Amino acid sequence: MKTLRTLGLGLILAVSGLFISLLFMGQYTLSSATFENFITQNNITSSVFIKDLEQSVVDKEFSTPFYLANTIAEAVESANTYHKANKEWAQVIWTKPHSLAYQMVKSSGTGIVVQNKRRLWFLSFGLGILGALLFMLPALNLKGPPGIKNNHIFHSSATNRGWIAWLVFTFLILFYLVLYFRPSYMVNWIYLVDPISESLSGNPASQWFLYGFLYCVIMTVMAVRMYIKYRHNKYQTLRTTSVLFFQIVFAFLIPEILVRFEKPWYDFKNAFPLDYDFFFRWNLNELLDSGGFGLFILVWGIALTLVIVPVMVYFFGKRWYCSWVCGCGGLAETLGDPYRQLSSKSLLSWKVERWLVHGVLVFALLMTGLTLYGYFAGTYEVLGIKVQTLQDVYGFLIGSIFAGVIGTGFYPIFGNRVWCRFGCPLAAYMGVIQRFKSRFRITTNGGQCISCGNCSTYCEQGIDVRAYAQKGENIVRASCVGCGVCSAVCPRGVLKLENGPEEGRIGSSNILLGNEMNLMDQLQDK
Amino acid sequence: MEHIAIIGNGISGITAARHIRKLSHKKITVISSETDYFFSRTALMYVYMGHMKFKHTQPYEDWFWEKNNIALKNGFVTQIDTSQKTLVFSDGEQLEFDKLIIATGSKPNKFGWPGQDLKGVVSLYHKQDLDAIETFAPNNSVCKHAVIVGGGLIGVELAEMFHSRHIPVTFLVREQSYWNAILPSGESQMITNEIRKNGINLRLESNLKHINADANGRVKSIVIAETGEEIDCDIVGLTAGVSPNIGFLESSGIETNRGVLVDRNLQTNIKDIYAIGDCAEQRNAVEGRRPIEAVWYTGRIMGETVAQTICKKETQYTPGHWFNSAKFFDIEYQTYGWVNSEQHLKPNEAHFHWMHPDHNKCLTIAFDKTTQKFLGINTFGIRMRHEVFNRWLDQNQSIDYVLEHLQIAHFDPEFYTTYYHDVLKKFNSEHNRNLKLKKKSWSQIFTLKS
Ligand SMILES: Cc1cc2nc3c(=O)[nH]c(=O)nc-3n(C[C@H](O)[C@H](O)[C@H](O)COP(=O)(O)OP(=O)(O)OC[C@H]3O[C@@H](n4cnc5c(N)ncnc54)[C@H](O)[C@@H]3O)c2cc1C
Ligand code: SF4
Ligand code: SF4
């Protein structure tokens, strides 16, 4: 058993090495034919840009994608500076420099990686999955019979902010930075999933396809870990299955297949305002141009946010979304599960959380309000603010940095729900409903709490569950995502997530805590 | 302003302090020689096992005390001068009080075994014990074998702790079956098996004779009284129960027996001096209960009660129906009301017992043979709703009623399998009855308000 585990770890390390060295492999030549094709297809009229690249790049061979990408991006920028100075607006290239660079680099790869996509896929993804499974499966035996086995979590440098955690942190941050801002640097990874992308949507893979695919793979592998860890707990295994299903089918397969049938890419479970660009001009136009189906998506998207979400939160709490459906939640509950104990439980964090998460909600609503006003009024500027600028700022700060780089990158240091707790505008919206109008609560079992603190320690949302439980009070908190782990780890059977009548939902069971006299006193005091 | 001094910052002392603060502006000083801040000793095991850091065992952030104007003092009280209303500390310092609450908890029992004070002999009660265990048993190469003496709840916790670091454990228990003075035999047997299933070498009907030292005065081995067998070990855990920690009261004039004797208002023989928690002993036990109850809940209840008495009006300690819970490796245990072991069966007490075929879940219901009144329930591997059982005990429900309504008392997480149909089937066949399980209804679960 231990040997299998070591073997698995060895494979994981070897595959990580391979993934990193892959970045530096292959050759890149932007042939004149491809280049001309690209220029015509993308309507690029900047003679400066074309001349520049023809001299510096076209038909030359590069041994890494980095230099090529940077040269192209710089060419875009210097051409634009020139055209803008000369007020030649028609020649300015509006595509973002590194998006354009990515597209060119993607079509210029030659050599080992491009020629061995499937083989390398197997060596990297395939062996990686195998390694991870070999590493995890022995837990079935090594960690003893089913039950809560949190042994040594705070002794391990991977799960207690030790050097492994910092290493993973660095890797994740770099990954997200490259993904969002320099996709061409990871073009070799993207090549590997081309065959899969082609079989689904008919198109070669983009960085987003790679991300989606990786997301599904990681969630699946880490879900296996959840199944092992919580094999005694049906709530946990069912909700893991549920998030996995929604990720693979709704967020990954259906959108790709829609594209194959020339319909807009759409994730049916992704509700506004988490799906912050739903009301952006380009999206509305695309939907309206796609006939009946586009219209259906439009109506569905609006109904999802205005009707389905609140009604479901009323009956089941926001957990129906955050812990059973959502993709961000799905990753947090699988890849992020080993890090849930790192969330801060201090009162200060709670204060910061409330300001931040509601701040993002207000920002998202303002941005959307202005966007829609601009859309219907047919203007690009509202109240002297360029709608586009506002969207770019939101997309950059919230969409990329907060949700991605910080949201996932910070898992090993600040816990697995940093985004869900501090940033997600949809969570903020559902939280308000959950707090004030919902049947969901975590019931505290009378006076059974021994204040041990397991619940608070393992609450990924940083809720001090114990503070309520030891007073015999139910937990009714806006931020609770209903993961059910507090209930699972409680050694005294104190906590139960349930939906019940609103009456007496918060109620404390003082009578069981203290003196029976007490209750009489309290009644008289009132 | 009246000054309330509290000796002991455990659950009882801290609860008293918090409630006095809620009810008044009196000056409060909480004294302890153990740790600066209140922590949950119930969670000590989880720190060693790496489930938590010590910081996580502290229910309140450090700023809480100053903000609530509760003064904390680290020091050991050696004497109480009751006439001058003054505490004397080990360093000679003195502190005057107007009212005093003694909440000094327990200390582990040592029965005069030869070698009981050697290096490497530990118990599990105070934070210092945890530190000692960490020193003597950091891993299984420094500590190749551990022996635990005494089969109560803390003994099992200690066994689980060593087990988490892969240290082989021999567990000496006096009884014929684990905890069978408290648990009915079916349950005791099940837990005995659970302990063994986890690889613990549980030795029943075995007593400690003495502990041997090596040349450096460290534990080397122990000898079993019954067999004379010598077992090599690097650490010995003594977990043969606890008794009130009141040695420092000897010449104070405060009346003691095993614990500090108190009346129903929790006052000692001396006016304005109270005792609560593990260290308090009721002069006349509350009906159906033991005079000393060393559990978390009663400490908390007494803390609340004494705060009422000090700040509002004389209030009697009225703990309500007995309840408790524990965990034995992977099996959770809850109890409501009284279910006695065969050894201590009350006259007229009968049991109905159901065991899951996998032998990891069971329940026992105690009832009165003649009146059929429900007396109490033990459940293992099944969580039950405290509120509901408390109500049923209040209402003197019958065992029939309880069985038929078990769904209402169900507290396992959602989607868990329930076994109550099986339970009823067994009861019906044993008693030749035809009870039917009633459906769960929200209004019955939450009737507390109406
Ligand atoms: C490992 C373990 C697990 C447990 N698990 C459970 C459980 O699951 N459920 C349950 O109900 N109960 C459990 N208990 C019992 C429960 O913890 C005790 O009943 C409870 O802590 C007693 O609280 P207390 O406030 O009376 O005293 P304590 O918590 O003992 O606090 C007394 C404090 O006073 C200090 N003190 C004593 N004398 C002096 C002095 N002269 N000067 C200054 N300071 C002094 C002590 O150092 C100590 O800090 C467990 C106990 C242990 C040790
Ligand atoms: S309170 Fe419990 S259910 Fe809610 S988020 Fe925290 S651990 Fe999960
Ligand atoms: S885990 Fe359970 S017993 Fe421990 S503090 Fe939380 S509710 Fe209380």
Side-chain angles (χ1 to χ4, degrees), chain B residues 84-365:
Chain B
Q84 299 297 313
K85 289 197 166 180
T86 304
L87 301 178
V88 184
F89 290 88
S90 54
D91 59 3
E93 207 190 316
Q94 303 200 344
L95 182 74
E96 286 179 19
F97 61 83
D98 297 303
K99 286 191 172 136
L100 176 68
I101 301 174
I102 303 170
T104 50
S106 303
K107 61 180 189 337
N109 288 334
K110 289 183 172 186
F111 292 117
W113 293 293
Q116 67 181 15
D117 295 317
L118 289 170
K119 270 186 268 170
V121 180
V122 298
S123 35
L124 179 62
Y125 191 90
H126 291 107
K127 164 74 164 62
Q128 288 71 18
D129 297 326
L130 177 71
D131 299 339
I133 295 171
E134 189 64 62
T135 313
F136 293 109
N139 52 51
N140 60 4
S141 51
V142 172
C143 180
K144 297 203 172 48
H145 199 102
V147 170
I148 298 170
V149 182
L153 296 174
I154 299 182
V156 180
E157 292 190 358
L158 197 55
E160 194 174 344
M161 286 162 66
F162 291 136
H163 185 59
S164 77
R165 299 213 184 167
H166 308 289
I167 297 170
V169 180
T170 303
F171 188 8
L172 306 187
V173 171
R174 194 172 51 177
E175 292 79 17
Q176 295 142 316
S177 163
Y178 174 79
W179 224 33
N180 70 352
I182 307 284
L183 298 178
S185 58
E187 302 173 345
S188 164
Q189 196 52 53
M190 185 177 94
I191 300 303
T192 303
N193 293 340
E194 172 75 3
I195 295 170
R196 291 201 163 132
K197 205 170 79 190
N198 278 281
I200 306 298
N201 182 6
L202 178 63
R203 306 283 291 262
L204 300 171
E205 302 186 279
S206 300
N207 282 281
L208 175 67
K209 189 163 173 212
H210 56 83
I211 307 171
N212 295 324
D214 66 6
N216 305 317
R218 268 194 67 162
V219 167
K220 188 180 92 189
S221 63
I222 61 108
V223 175
I224 299 182
E226 282 73 12
T227 58
E229 192 182 348
E230 181 172 352
I231 298 174
D232 288 342
C233 56
D234 302 295
I235 193 167
V236 176
L238 301 179
T239 56
V242 297
S243 36
N245 187 7
I246 53 169
F248 72 108
L249 293 180
E250 250 166 37
S251 55
S252 65
I254 297 171
E255 245 183 280
T256 59
N257 178 33
R258 278 186 57 222
V260 184
L261 288 168
V262 293
D263 58 25
R264 280 295 290 276
N265 291 335
L266 305 170
Q267 194 162 200
T268 63
N269 60 317
I270 292 169
K271 190 171 170 296
D272 290 341
I273 300 187
Y274 303 83
I276 56 174
D278 278 20
C279 69
E281 176 174 349
Q282 292 287 324
R283 276 175 205 280
N284 303 302
V286 181
E287 207 233 309
R289 303 179 70 119
R290 302 179 187 108
I292 301 179
E293 286 177 332
V295 287
W296 190 260
Y297 324 106
T298 48
R300 195 172 56 199
I301 299 173
M302 288 188 218
E304 243 182 281
T305 310
V306 83
Q308 299 278 337
T309 297
I310 288 177
C311 301
K312 292 172 84 179
K313 60 166 193 278
E314 295 268 311
T315 305
Q316 290 208 337
Y317 171 56
T318 319
H321 300 288
W322 170 254
F323 65 94
N324 201 359
S325 56
K327 192 173 179 187
F328 307 94
F329 286 88
D330 293 314
I331 301 184
E332 286 175 17
Y333 156 63
Q334 294 189 336
T335 183
Y336 301 102
W338 287 108
V339 180
N340 294 298
S341 66
E342 282 84 355
Q343 298 171 22
H344 299 113
L345 223 52
K346 291 270 146 56
N348 253 0
E349 176 177 347
H351 287 175
F352 163 69
H353 180 65
W354 170 87
M355 171 74 71
H356 188 272
D358 293 346
H359 288 266
N360 56 8
K361 292 177 188 67
C362 72
L363 60 79
T364 305
I365 299 179

Side-chain angles (χ1 to χ4, degrees), chain B residues 43-62:
Chain B
L44 283 175
M45 65 182 293
Y46 300 111
V47 178
Y48 179 83
M49 292 167 74
H51 293 209
M52 290 195 250
K53 294 203 218 182
F54 184 71
K55 185 183 82 167
H56 295 123
T57 69
Q58 298 172 342
Y60 304 94
E61 289 185 69
D62 293 352

Side-chain angles (χ1 to χ4, degrees), chain A residues 259-278:
Chain A
V259 173
R260 160 150 251 156
F261 293 100
E262 294 177 358
K263 300 276 183 254
W265 191 104
Y266 184 65
D267 174 353
F268 280 91
K269 66 162 180 45
N270 199 9
F272 171 85
L274 175 58
D275 185 7
Y276 63 88
D277 53 14
F278 189 74

Side-chain angles (χ1 to χ4, degrees), chain B residues 373-389:
Chain B
K373 188 177 119 174
F374 167 72
L375 300 174
I377 184 168
N378 281 354
T379 61
F380 288 79
I382 302 172
R383 295 177 174 180
M384 286 286 166
R385 221 178 266 271
H386 187 179
E387 226 129 31
V388 170
F389 274 111

